[in-house]
Amino acid sequence: MSQTSFLASVAHWTQIECKERVLEAIPKLITLYKNAEDLQQTVDILKILCSSFLPHLDISTADTEKEFYSAVMPQASDMFDSAVDNLLAEAGMTESDHLQKTLLTLLTVLMDICECLELCLGHAINKEEERLSSLPHAVSSSVLHVLYCSYTHCSTSDKIYGEQLALVAAPLSTLFKKTHSLQQAFTSLLERPAFCDCSSVNVIEDLTAVCHRLLEISKVVSGMDVRVFASTLKILSNLAVQHAEVLKENLDVAAILSFLCEEIVNTCYHIATLLLQNSQEMSEQSVLLLRQHLKLAVFLLKIVVHFCEIFTNCLSRAAAWLLTLLLSILRFQHEFTLTPDAFIDEIQHHLLVGLKPLLCLLLSDKEFVAQVASVDLVSDSTSVCLLCVTILSLLPASDAKVRDVWMAINDLHGASTSILEILFSSVKHCYMSLVLPVCLHGVTRPGKPPVSVSLYEYTCTNLCGFIACIPSRQFPVLELCLLKHTLSWDAYTACLAIDAWCFVGRYGDSHLCLQHCKLLMELCSTSLPSLTVDPANAALVDFRSYRAVPYINLQQALFRLMKFTTAEQQLQLFEEMAVETHLGLWSCMPVPYLHPDIVHRLKMAALSWLSQTVTALKCVDMVPAQHILNLGEALTVISCLYRQRCGFDELQVLPLVLTVWDLLASSIVGHLFERHILALLIDCSSYLLPVMDNCSLKEVVGLVLTLMPGSADSIKLAAASFLSAFGSKVVSPSAEVKIQSRPTADLANEDSRACRSAVSNALD
């Protein structure tokens, strides 16, 4: 009987005949299958083999069965490739009835191949365990190849078919469904323990290849169907985790984690887009879509955490993507303050809770630590700040070695830093988030319900919590960091450093607080303004260093830390730095908290210094620049003491201040007065208004009025404070009252314009 006639007769055999003659027919059909002349004939033979004869292969025909799978499966995948190539060639032709028929025929071939392979898998699934382990490598490799090619063809169908897509939309949809059905059958096969028996090297290699192929399929279906995508990743995750011990040497865990992280980042982007587009009110469709994306992101994040738990030694290569993932999720904590609370709570409940478990697994990975140290602070500073805060909250419960790593980091460029340095550097770039301010939703505190707190409060609270747990051997790193950032020109960075320093002073050892105060006093004394000579006029003095931001920050830190010192410690500091030689330094202390003896000596020294300076200015024709410097410091001390409600005997201070005004009015030294001294003089005068007589008041107001045009902002603001003090001034009736009222009104008008200008300049 010829091959053609044999094939024709087999097609009409009953199931009973097929069962009886299975061993005779299969070898002949396989030969015909391999030597078929065209694609359609090959598919027809495949259908006969899978539907009529495969069901009748039993335990007595194990060798024939193995031969069947080895011959049929690879040929089927080759056929699938051939059919796809024909489709690609035909799709570029001019549209016609013949073309449509050809495309439909080829798509039917693809569907038939998927059905046949599913029949093969169905037969394998129902086999006994001992026979299942004997299935050849061709089963998994062929099925995965068909799955990949089919999904790829469906995902790129719009580019392949172009305007002809409408003609093949229905069969393409059917092909996708049949492909997914084939995938489900393959999943059932993978779930059988005997199929994945890892007793041999070949099986381990096959499993590794299956995992890598599933990863490629996942990349193809990620943008097609969420359910198919999730099911594919679930297969991959279960297979990799189940056989982690034998796969960890061969499996590319970094590639899997990088892909998962990228998908979560993209999903977070879609969620963010939906939230921004519907910030006020979301449609029902948008809500469903958002929850779908959120559910997918949570599912993927769980897989990432599970992989990181199992493959802890394989995380370094994916550290960059894991960091990107963490930063992307953290954006939801600060970028959507206008989003309805229900959605933010849902995101936090499902997505943000996965951050800490993931971070706990990454804390000990040195490559991840280096990635955090090298992150771009400018583009994503707030998320980096939140990441650092989260790390600080986890470090106290970590091993000592892990804490040591984070306190002495080498970044990707070899530079040394610490988690504290990274935190402060990120705060420096968080200006807008701190100014707005950004409120973090649902922050939990022990024993209290979740609340919304500002970014600064959240950062400062967690930083202080970390400082409370820091061991003594790491304290030098903390002290150096706090000092460095106290000297920062950025207001929020310096404020955070000072607040943290005060936490150390309040809850630390009293001796430590004393040492810190000594350090700050020494720094303040060495940072006092030095004499700066203007080449054009050697007598002019520059007091800008008095207002230098780092110097002010040191004063502020010292002011607050001094409150935590005892009376004995204050007296000890007072003996080491006497007020007579460090008057400017002691005037910046919190006077109400100082020992009474120190306050009394401070007042006496301030009056003596001012008196000596005024006397020196009156007695010389050529005023040395040092005299002007002394005058500025004396007025600064007087102003600071008044500001802290540490009252003087005004009758002692007033004559000295009026004498300075007289010197200003004179042509001898008035032109030497720098704007800082003028502002201090106006400020001191505002405290003395209650004891000024009408004549003195008239003279001072007139001089202030003459200073206003073209003066610096500091003088204008001091004049505003001076004018506000008139609210409590009672002018006794006299002949000067009418004369006095006109300059005061002029000053008020000029002061209003000046203040508006000063505030505008300050804002600019």
Side-chain angles (χ1 to χ4, degrees):
M1 183 184 293
S2 65
Q3 291 182 346
T4 304
S5 58
F6 172 74
L7 185 59
S9 65
V10 168
H12 297 90
W13 285 2
T14 63
Q15 288 296 319
I16 296 175
E17 288 179 293
C18 292
K19 183 177 182 180
E20 292 175 349
R21 305 177 62 179
V22 61
L23 296 179
E24 172 193 349
I26 283 185
K28 295 180 180 180
L29 287 172
I30 289 177
T31 302
L32 291 172
Y33 174 67
K34 291 182 176 180
N35 300 319
E37 297 178 354
D38 56 48
L39 186 62
Q40 187 61 56
Q41 185 183 27
T42 311
V43 172
D44 291 339
I45 298 173
L46 177 63
K47 291 167 67 177
I48 293 172
L49 281 166
C50 295
S51 59
S52 299
F53 291 95
L54 181 60
H56 304 300
L57 291 175
D58 54 26
I59 194 168
S60 63
T61 58
D63 293 337
T64 305
E65 184 182 56
K66 188 172 183 179
E67 180 184 353
F68 175 89
Y69 281 115
S70 299
V72 168
M73 304 295 274
Q75 183 80 5
S77 63
D78 291 341
M79 252 198 314
F80 198 92
D81 289 341
S82 179
V84 170
D85 291 339
N86 291 341
L87 276 170
L88 295 176
E90 293 291 338
M93 301 294 182
T94 306
E95 184 176 342
S96 64
D97 294 339
H98 174 71
L99 174 62
Q100 182 178 1
K101 183 178 179 180
T102 303
L103 295 177
L104 294 177
T105 301
L106 290 170
L107 288 172
T108 303
V109 169
L110 297 181
M111 289 184 276
D112 289 341
I113 295 173
C114 289
E115 288 179 349
C116 292
L117 292 180
E118 188 175 353
L119 289 173
C120 294
L121 294 179
H123 177 72
I125 292 169
N126 297 323
K127 293 173 58 172
E128 293 80 1
E129 293 293 328
E130 64 271 12
R131 296 178 60 204
L132 190 61
S133 60
S134 65
L135 284 177
H137 167 77
V139 174
S140 57
S141 61
S142 300
V143 171
L144 288 170
H145 180 78
V146 169
L147 289 175
Y148 178 78
C149 293
S150 182
Y151 281 135
T152 302
H153 186 76
C154 293
S155 66
T156 58
S157 57
D158 55 338
K159 297 179 181 179
I160 294 173
Y161 297 102
E163 297 178 355
Q164 301 164 3
L165 182 61
L167 302 176
V168 295
L172 277 174
S173 177
T174 305
L175 174 63
F176 182 82
K177 293 176 182 177
K178 288 185 179 295
T179 305
H180 183 49
S181 179
L182 174 62
Q183 178 178 326
Q184 289 176 319
F186 185 64
T187 303
S188 300
L189 182 63
L190 290 176
E191 291 173 351
R192 294 287 296 274
F195 182 74
C196 299
D197 183 15
C198 300
S199 57
S200 68
V201 176
N202 291 335
V203 175
I204 296 174
E205 292 177 354
D206 289 349
L207 280 176
T208 305
V210 168
C211 290
H212 290 162
R213 198 62 167 171
L214 286 172
L215 176 61
E216 294 176 5
I217 293 173
S218 300
K219 294 179 180 180
V220 174
V221 299
S222 62
M224 296 175 63
D225 187 280
V226 174
R227 291 183 179 179
V228 176
F229 178 54
S231 63
T232 307
L233 285 175
K234 187 176 181 180
I235 305 168
L236 171 60
S237 175
N238 291 341
L239 196 62
V241 171
Q242 183 180 356
H243 305 283
E245 286 299 321
V246 296
L247 293 178
K248 60 184 179 182
E249 299 297 332
N250 300 315
L251 187 63
D252 192 352
V253 177
I256 298 173
L257 285 175
S258 299
F259 170 70
L260 291 171
C261 292
E262 185 177 6
E263 285 300 313
I264 299 174
V265 170
N266 292 335
T267 305
C268 289
Y269 173 78
H270 294 313
I271 294 174
T273 303
L274 285 170
L275 291 174
L276 292 174
Q277 290 175 349
N278 305 271
S279 59
Q280 301 301 322
E281 185 177 355
M282 299 189 74
S283 64
E284 185 177 351
Q285 183 179 1
S286 296
V287 171
L288 291 175
L289 190 57
L290 184 145
R291 285 178 176 155
Q292 184 186 60
H293 285 310
L294 181 59
K295 188 175 181 180
L296 176 62
V298 173
F299 171 73
L300 296 176
L301 184 58
K302 288 180 179 179
I303 296 178
V304 170
V305 174
H306 205 182
F307 261 88
C308 291
E309 285 177 340
I310 302 300
F311 300 97
T312 53
N313 298 325
C314 307
L315 304 181
S316 296
R317 287 179 54 199
W321 265 113
L322 288 168
L323 176 59
T324 303
L325 165 64
L326 292 170
L327 295 178
S328 298
I329 295 177
L330 282 169
R331 290 192 187 101
F332 288 106
Q333 202 170 356
H334 66 89
E335 287 191 359
F336 301 98
T337 54
L338 300 179
T339 303
D341 290 342
F343 297 112
I344 291 298
D345 292 341
E346 194 168 347
I347 290 172
Q348 288 183 331
H349 179 71
H350 293 290
L351 195 59
L352 291 174
V353 293
L355 287 181
K356 287 192 175 181
L358 179 57
L359 260 177
C360 287
L361 298 169
L362 294 171
L363 286 179
S364 58
D365 187 85
K366 293 185 178 180
E367 180 63 25
F368 177 77
V369 176
Q371 289 288 343
V372 173
S374 306
V375 70
D376 182 10
L377 296 175
V378 177
S379 61
D380 211 1
S381 55
T382 306
S383 296
V384 175
C385 177
L386 292 173
L387 177 63
C388 292
V389 169
T390 308
I391 292 172
L392 289 180
S393 68
L394 297 175
L395 284 178
S398 302
D399 295 335
K401 292 182 179 179
V402 174
R403 292 197 297 268
D404 291 342
V405 168
W406 284 97
M407 292 298 285
I409 305 173
N410 289 323
D411 64 15
L412 297 178
H413 307 292
S416 298
T417 183
S418 68
I419 184 63
L420 296 174
E421 284 289 343
I422 302 170
L423 174 64
F424 278 102
S425 299
S426 64
V427 169
K428 183 178 180 180
H429 292 87
C430 291
Y431 179 77
M432 291 305 299
S433 297
L434 292 165
V435 169
L436 288 177
V438 167
C439 288
L440 308 176
H441 296 273
V443 176
T444 56
R445 294 178 291 181
K448 296 183 180 180
V451 294
S452 295
V453 300
S454 68
L455 176 62
Y456 183 87
E457 179 183 349
Y458 181 69
T459 303
C460 186
T461 303
N462 282 275
L463 174 60
C464 291
F466 172 73
I467 291 173
C469 303
I470 196 171
S472 57
R473 68 178 183 280
Q474 294 173 348
F475 228 79
V477 179
L478 171 65
E479 291 175 317
L480 182 61
C481 182
L482 293 179
L483 176 58
K484 174 183 175 181
H485 293 286
T486 297
L487 297 172
S488 172
W489 285 79
D490 178 72
Y492 286 102
T493 305
C495 187
L496 180 62
I498 294 171
D499 284 343
W501 207 335
C502 290
F503 176 83
V504 175
R506 172 64 179 83
Y507 295 100
D509 183 77
S510 61
H511 179 71
L512 179 65
C513 182
L514 174 63
Q515 295 304 316
H516 286 174
C517 288
K518 284 183 178 180
L519 171 65
L520 289 173
M521 291 180 76
E522 291 174 3
L523 290 173
C524 286
S525 62
T526 56
S527 302
L528 286 172
S530 57
L531 186 63
T532 304
V533 179
D534 187 342
N537 191 335
L540 290 181
V541 179
D542 184 5
F543 279 87
R544 285 175 295 181
S545 54
Y546 257 122
R547 298 181 300 281
V549 172
Y551 179 73
I552 294 174
N553 294 343
L554 288 174
Q555 287 182 327
Q556 180 67 17
L558 180 58
F559 181 91
R560 294 177 60 184
L561 280 176
M562 188 62 72
K563 296 178 182 179
F564 306 129
T565 56
T566 64
E568 292 77 9
Q569 291 174 336
Q570 290 177 5
L571 292 173
Q572 180 182 344
L573 292 171
F574 192 75
E575 293 299 326
E576 293 181 9
M577 292 192 173
V579 67
E580 289 77 14
T581 54
H582 297 88
L583 180 61
L585 178 63
W586 281 99
S587 66
C588 299
M589 301 293 186
V591 176
Y593 293 86
L594 295 180
H595 192 279
D597 292 345
I598 299 176
V599 176
H600 176 71
R601 288 183 60 180
L602 182 59
K603 290 181 183 179
M604 294 300 99
L607 285 173
S608 175
W609 197 327
L610 181 61
S611 176
Q612 293 174 12
T613 303
V614 171
T615 302
L617 288 172
K618 291 166 59 178
C619 298
V620 295
D621 295 330
M622 296 298 294
V623 181
Q626 185 61 43
H627 286 8
I628 304 298
L629 181 65
N630 293 342
L631 175 62
E633 188 167 353
L635 291 175
T636 299
V637 173
I638 298 294
S639 179
C640 287
L641 294 176
Y642 266 120
R643 195 175 296 114
Q644 296 190 62
R645 303 185 182 278
C646 180
F648 285 92
D649 182 357
E650 285 83 358
L651 296 180
Q652 290 181 308
V653 179
L654 179 61
L656 297 174
V657 172
L658 292 178
T659 302
V660 177
W661 278 113
D662 292 339
L663 293 172
L664 174 64
S666 70
S667 58
I668 299 175
V669 296
H671 67 287
L672 300 179
F673 283 20
E674 201 265 353
R675 61 186 182 184
H676 177 68
I677 294 182
L678 295 174
L680 286 171
L681 185 58
I682 296 172
D683 187 55
C684 289
S685 300
S686 65
Y687 296 110
L688 298 172
L689 277 178
V691 295
M692 279 190 189
D693 57 36
N694 292 345
C695 292
S696 300
L697 190 60
K698 175 185 175 183
E699 181 181 356
V700 171
V701 170
L703 289 171
V704 172
L705 187 61
T706 59
L707 293 173
M708 293 300 290
S711 60
D713 293 342
S714 58
I715 296 177
K716 295 175 182 178
L717 292 174
S721 176
F722 176 78
L723 189 61
S724 67
F726 271 94
S728 59
K729 171 66 178 176
V730 178
V731 181
S732 58
S734 66
E736 290 90 353
V737 172
K738 294 183 180 180
I739 303 174
Q740 181 67 43
S741 61
R742 178 59 183 272
T744 306
D746 292 342
L747 177 59
N749 294 332
E750 184 67 28
D751 186 63
S752 176
R753 292 190 296 270
C755 284
R756 286 196 298 270
S757 173
V759 171
S760 175
N761 292 339
L763 292 176
D764 292 340

